Amino acid sequence: METTDVLIVGAGPTGLALGIDLARRGVAARLVERAEALFPGSRGKGIQPRTQEVFDDLGVIDAVLASSGPYPDRMVWRGGERVGEESMFERFEPDAGTPYPAPRMIPQWRTQEILYARLTELGGKVAFGREVTGLTQDADGVDVAFADGTTVRACYVVGADGGRSGIRRALGVDMTGETVDPAPFVVADLRLRGLDRVYWHAFPAADGSVLGLCPLAGTEEFQLAARLPEGSEPEVSPDGVRELVARYTHLAAEDVTEVRWASGFRPRAALADRFRVGRVFLAGDAAHVHSPAGGQGLNTSVQDAYNLGWKLAAVLDGAPETLLETYEEERRANAAAVLELSTGVHRGEVQRGRATVQLGVGYRDSSLSTETRADPGPVRAGDRAPDAEVPGAAEVPGGRLFDLFRGPHWTLLGATAPPRAGVRTLPSTPESYGPGVFLIRPDGYVGWAGETATEDLPAYLDGVGIR
Ligand SMILES: Cc1cc2nc3c(=O)[nH]c(=O)nc-3n(C[C@H](O)[C@H](O)[C@H](O)COP(=O)(O)OP(=O)(O)OC[C@H]3O[C@@H](n4cnc5c(N)ncnc54)[C@H](O)[C@@H]3O)c2cc1C
């Protein structure tokens, strides 16, 4: 029987991001995908600022920035006339700690291509056409069965197999949630003539249904997203999509020159009751599904992978098993908050902007966050560790804190000597952090903060497996 340390099921954004993180850590991982190729649709097209920071660390930000564009403003049409334009976002001033202040637009298939290329560059690969059909686990490992009759034994399995996750069902984990909107939706990628590529065009109808056409940066395509009248059946054939365009807009069906991909769905918000059963983890859509409103699904999924990757690598390298418990603790609470947020955006109760950029995601209540200062400043244990300028520091030739964080290591700010091998240090602490010593986790959150580096720092390092 084949064996591996980590088996990742599903090569969507979650599985690919996790594959990259494990590959750069030298973990033996296998990534298996049921389909014969990467997913072809544009679905999750908004990359939030926090995910851009993750992509910076994973080595794909340049490719993502080069292939993406800013979010266009919305142009509202009625009766074939432009009746008004509006920003999709509540504007807010980014601070010096935010190198990527605005969401970027890029079709999901392109994001996946970029992640896949990076995985390959790091020596990883995807086994396509490999469908997992079941699993059983014991105290030492998991036996995973495939449709072709083969079995792989893994120390850990990550179900990154999407909203209809078979891994979740095999574990007997339920999803609790609600229908966000009783109306059916259609999403499609198409080419058309007669519409500019400056705006995200919206064509509302009198009955509350609406059709949007958003230019997809880096392509000649638009993403169609339509909220259809309640009780109607979404029609996703090419002719059905053309007919939708003709019904809602001033364009004719023939103006749609190509329909490359189309899918129908009903927005649901649901959360898996557990994100972990023994040696098997659920990540991404397998653990939480959202309304597409506010562009949270793909982003939350990538960040699940980013939270889990370093913990799996550390435990495989001898860190206490309890570290893995913090994945569910941190990410399930976060997903619950994101579900509420995306449902709020869908229903028009919350504006896209500060709330949706995910820069405020943090883990202050996590058992992994140790704040020992009596009077903490603006950045506390559990918070995202913001970027800052660090001029003249020999440790940071690029002059920015994120240059020091980039890579799979831990970083200690405000200490001259590394407390353990492998921890990078910076003697000073950026002013924006306030006074103190800060231990930054590999995924960019403050794990431990204290007045000085002595106190209980060694005990914390033991707990996370830094020897
Ligand atoms: C119609 C639609 C529109 C969306 N629009 C948006 C949006 O506008 N913004 C946004 O942020 N998000 C959006 N999303 C959500 C976003 O696409 C998802 O959050 C994202 O794809 C989740 O990534 P994932 O890797 O967890 O799952 P997926 O992308 O679903 O990937 C799961 C992978 O697992 C594979 N797989 C499944 N079962 C098995 C098996 N048994 N064995 C092996 N492989 C298997 C699948 O083939 C698939 O490739 C949308 C989703 C849908 C369905």
Side-chain angles (χ1 to χ4, degrees):
M1 191 194 297
E2 295 175 59
T3 61
T4 186
D5 281 345
V6 182
L7 183 87
I8 306 166
V9 185
T14 310
L16 291 166
L18 183 61
I20 292 171
D21 201 14
L22 294 178
R24 69 178 180 154
R25 292 168 188 283
V27 172
R30 268 159 189 268
L31 175 43
V32 296
E33 166 58 50
R34 174 172 62 190
E36 296 294 340
L38 295 175
F39 176 75
S42 66
R43 303 196 331 196
K45 61 189 182 310
I47 304 295
Q48 301 295 347
R50 178 59 190 145
T51 309
Q52 292 173 45
E53 295 179 355
V54 174
F55 282 172
D56 178 328
D57 186 37
L58 295 180
V60 293
I61 191 63
D62 290 344
V64 167
L65 292 179
S67 298
S68 62
Y71 254 61
D73 287 343
R74 188 189 339 236
M75 174 61 70
V76 181
W77 294 74
R78 279 183 215 280
E81 303 287 333
R82 295 170 188 252
V83 295
E85 83 188 68
E86 57 193 42
S87 169
M88 295 289 289
F89 291 95
E90 161 203 18
R91 304 268 172 218
F92 65 94
E93 277 305 306
D95 56 36
T98 309
Y100 306 106
R104 299 287 292 180
M105 166 107 38
I106 177 172
Q108 180 168 330
W109 58 263
R110 178 89 82 199
T111 301
Q112 293 194 210
E113 274 181 4
I114 292 170
L115 292 171
Y116 180 52
R118 177 71 176 138
L119 177 69
T120 311
E121 185 182 75
L122 290 165
K125 50 181 192 261
V126 176
F128 289 103
R130 296 273 279 150
E131 181 180 2
V132 172
T133 51
L135 52 81
T136 51
Q137 55 176 316
D138 54 46
D140 306 316
V142 192
D143 293 324
V144 180
F146 287 83
D148 60 8
T150 57
T151 308
V152 172
R153 184 163 173 85
C155 291
Y156 296 101
V157 171
V158 181
D161 53 341
R164 296 203 178 95
S165 172
I167 301 295
R168 189 181 67 229
R169 265 179 281 123
L171 293 173
V173 172
D174 284 334
M175 264 198 152
T176 308
E178 55 169 346
T179 301
V180 173
D181 190 332
F185 280 66
V186 169
V187 193
D189 293 346
L190 45 81
R191 288 180 186 221
L192 52 73
R193 32 174 199 250
L195 213 51
D196 69 68
R197 299 186 63 83
V198 176
Y199 291 103
W200 185 330
H201 302 277
F203 302 88
D207 64 0
S209 61
V210 59
L211 182 140
L213 286 166
C214 177
L216 290 168
T219 77
E220 291 177 6
E221 296 176 2
F222 285 81
Q223 184 190 63
L224 173 152
R227 178 182 190 270
L228 303 178
E230 273 180 51
S232 62
E233 271 309 307
E235 167 60 82
V236 293
S237 69
D239 281 347
V241 171
R242 287 191 173 92
E243 198 271 319
L244 272 182
V245 171
R247 193 188 323 155
Y248 281 87
T249 78
H250 54 283
L251 302 171
E254 305 78 68
D255 289 325
V256 178
T257 53
E258 187 186 343
V259 179
R260 209 177 52 77
W261 170 81
S263 170
F265 70 104
R266 264 166 232 272
R268 250 167 60 77
L271 186 62
D273 294 347
R274 299 173 69 182
F275 279 22
R276 177 194 184 187
V277 177
R279 294 177 163 273
V280 185
F281 297 82
L282 297 172
D285 275 17
H288 42 77
V289 291
H290 316 243
S291 156
Q296 301 293 292
L298 180 150
N299 291 273
T300 305
S301 299
V302 166
Q303 288 172 53
D304 286 347
Y306 194 54
N307 184 286
L308 184 56
W310 69 267
K311 294 175 181 174
L312 279 172
V315 170
L316 284 162
D317 195 34
E321 262 272 332
T322 47
L323 185 58
L324 291 174
E325 286 165 19
T326 66
Y327 167 68
E328 173 174 301
E329 182 191 345
E330 295 184 340
R331 293 308 296 169
R332 193 168 179 278
N334 175 258
V338 172
L339 248 57
E340 207 171 300
L341 173 67
S342 57
T343 299
V345 174
H346 186 106
R347 292 179 178 160
E349 298 154 2
V350 180
Q351 236 191 325
R352 294 166 178 84
R354 197 177 288 281
T356 52
V357 293
Q358 302 199 343
L359 293 167
V361 169
Y363 309 118
R364 277 193 190 181
D365 296 334
S366 163
S367 58
L368 260 190
S369 302
T370 304
E371 178 57 71
T372 67
R373 294 168 298 170
D375 187 16
V379 178
R380 300 177 184 203
D383 290 354
R384 160 184 164 269
D387 197 10
E389 281 182 28
V390 277
E395 297 80 357
V396 195
R400 299 205 63 102
L401 208 47
F402 276 13
D403 297 326
L404 184 65
F405 293 167
R406 195 174 298 116
H409 53 273
W410 291 72
T411 309
L412 189 62
L413 304 177
T416 39
R420 307 269 163 99
V423 177
R424 296 207 187 152
T425 53
L426 186 70
S428 60
T429 300
E431 222 177 284
S432 57
Y433 277 57
V437 173
F438 299 85
L439 180 68
I440 314 301
R441 300 169 19 167
D443 58 350
Y445 293 88
V446 179
W448 181 96
E451 313 280 356
T452 69
T454 49
E455 301 172 42
D456 64 347
L457 182 59
Y460 184 91
L461 294 170
D462 290 342
V464 294
I466 303 178
R467 295 188 290 269

